[in-house]
Amino acid sequence: MDKKIELLSPAGDLGRLKIALLYGADAVYIGGQEYSLRANATNFSIDEIKEACEFAHALNKKVYITTNIVFHNEDLEGVYDYLKAVYEAGIDAFIVSDPFIIRYIKENFQGVEVHVSTQASTTNIESVKYWKKEGVDRVVLARELSIPEIAEIIKETKVDIEIFIHGAMCTFYSGRCTLSNYLTNRDSNRGGCSQVCRFAFDIDSNHDKKFTMATKDLNMADYITKFIDIGVCSLKIEGRMRSHYYLATVLSAYRKIIDAYYNQTLTPEMLERQKQILGRVANRETSTHYFTHEADHNDQYYTGRQELSNQDFLALVLSYDKEQKVVTISERNYFEPGTEVEIFTPSGKTVSFTVDKIYDQDMNEVEKACHPEEILKLYLEEEVEENSMMRLKVVEK
């Protein structure tokens, strides 16, 4: 274990980027306003990319930018000027899928890495060797590989390997979907995915049930130690359009697992708690998918599913007054006196308590918290940081 494994987070905008880095990500991947596969995310202007890089580099962390669409001729106009502008904004790596970009970046920009996107569907040793010859610094493997296959690729190629460990899975081959094009005229390979695989389709007039083919989410918490041992370089979370709370929760959980393993303090009980936390933040069932077995019907929803809205996130911490021992929060979901809660912080601390009295901004007592984004105050003995998050207490099984 010469080099500590990287925890890599998505960031759909500056707010999410800052949360991701504060809650334990070593690096973030973002999309610019061109050539990214998440065209429906807010994405970053050149000025915002510069601000993102300055914020990350001040924390000794990194920013990678996705330029991983499948290019058509019409997409080539302006691409070289865009690459130059992004490079000058300070990014640390380009994530690409189209081979023509690799050589151009390597010939024109010094000190920046090139990572091959999972969109390239790299699944074997010879393909990784090919990318290595082209000058690529890292390969993000296809999500359709098993752990033994990944271990063999690392052993035989000595190339930095990145893998997805958590979040949504594509029903098709590492994102190479054309169903979106046919049904909605939106090209998923050029940033327009309409998530057709999550639609519910009528079967025929004789069936009341809908046909679905949505894939369950990925959760590899049980295998993080294995990935470290076989030499994976980076562990990637999916979800540039996920909420601040989702990112904070998922990153905090994986950060604790990774750090505890390196510190030799990871226990079965600690791992189980983090798995419980991960399970509560998601609204879809999860699986290990191809990593541990040939994908089958247990990894899919075929005849409907329930995706219940998560109400655990209660408030965002805005500030803490040490003298008054008062925490100021922005409410997100309903709670009342007597609610058992916990606040988890960017530094990794968790403070559990039962809500006593709730006050408005002027310290007038209120009966309950029931207006999202209302500014409220609570007495709290233990100091907590700005950007900490309050949720329902996670009760261990």
Side-chain angles (χ1 to χ4, degrees), residues 264-391:
Q264 298 183 342
T265 57
L266 182 62
T267 63
E269 293 76 19
M270 179 186 176
L271 178 59
E272 189 57 37
R273 174 171 169 78
Q274 299 313 313
K275 286 165 59 180
Q276 276 187 261
I277 291 169
L278 289 169
R280 287 185 66 88
V281 75
N283 62 356
R284 288 195 286 265
E285 293 178 51
T286 63
S287 169
T288 56
H289 292 280
Y290 299 90
F291 282 107
T292 59
H293 59 275
E294 286 290 334
D296 58 28
H297 66 281
N298 294 308
D299 302 309
Q300 303 282 134
Y301 298 103
Y302 282 116
T303 53
R305 66 190 188 277
Q306 285 188 326
E307 295 184 1
L308 301 176
S309 176
N310 184 290
Q311 305 294 314
D312 283 3
F313 181 28
L314 302 180
L316 174 69
V317 172
L318 301 179
S319 63
Y320 182 81
D321 187 320
K322 295 181 184 179
E323 292 185 3
Q324 301 295 324
K325 296 189 181 300
V326 169
V327 60
T328 301
I329 59 176
S330 174
E331 188 225 331
R332 292 296 186 271
N333 279 299
Y334 177 91
F335 66 94
E336 60 188 17
T339 304
E340 291 189 54
V341 304
E342 59 189 27
I343 292 178
F344 66 104
T345 72
S347 61
K349 181 172 69 174
T350 300
V351 179
S352 299
F353 62 100
T354 300
V355 174
D356 185 12
K357 294 180 179 180
I358 306 170
Y359 302 89
D360 66 16
Q361 289 189 81
D362 301 315
M363 292 304 291
N364 300 306
E365 189 174 348
V366 297
E367 290 184 4
K368 54 193 174 183
C370 56
H371 303 292
E373 298 198 10
E374 182 179 11
I375 307 303
L376 299 170
K377 300 188 180 215
L378 307 171
Y379 281 110
L380 184 64
E381 285 293 321
E382 194 164 349
E383 182 180 357
V384 290
E385 308 156 48
E386 179 185 356
N387 289 315
S388 297
M389 310 232 177
M390 188 170 94
R391 66 187 172 206

Side-chain angles (χ1 to χ4, degrees), residues 188-202:
S188 57
N189 297 290
R190 297 164 79 190
C193 178
S194 57
Q195 295 191 320
V196 169
C197 56
R198 299 201 180 277
F199 289 9
F201 296 93
D202 291 324

Side-chain angles (χ1 to χ4, degrees), residues 142-198:
R143 282 174 265 194
E144 291 78 20
L145 292 175
S146 67
I147 293 175
E149 287 177 306
I150 294 167
E152 187 177 11
I153 287 172
I154 293 170
K155 180 181 177 182
E156 295 298 325
T157 66
K158 304 296 189 292
V159 172
D160 283 353
I161 294 298
E162 179 182 304
I163 60 170
F164 280 90
I165 58 163
H166 199 91
M169 288 283 285
C170 183
T171 302
F172 302 94
Y173 215 91
S174 280
R176 292 196 170 194
C177 168
T178 56
L179 195 59
S180 180
N181 304 49
Y182 283 115
L183 295 185
T184 66
N185 201 30
R186 287 168 53 181
D187 190 342
S188 57
N189 297 290
R190 297 164 79 190
C193 178
S194 57
Q195 295 191 320
V196 169
C197 56
R198 299 201 180 277

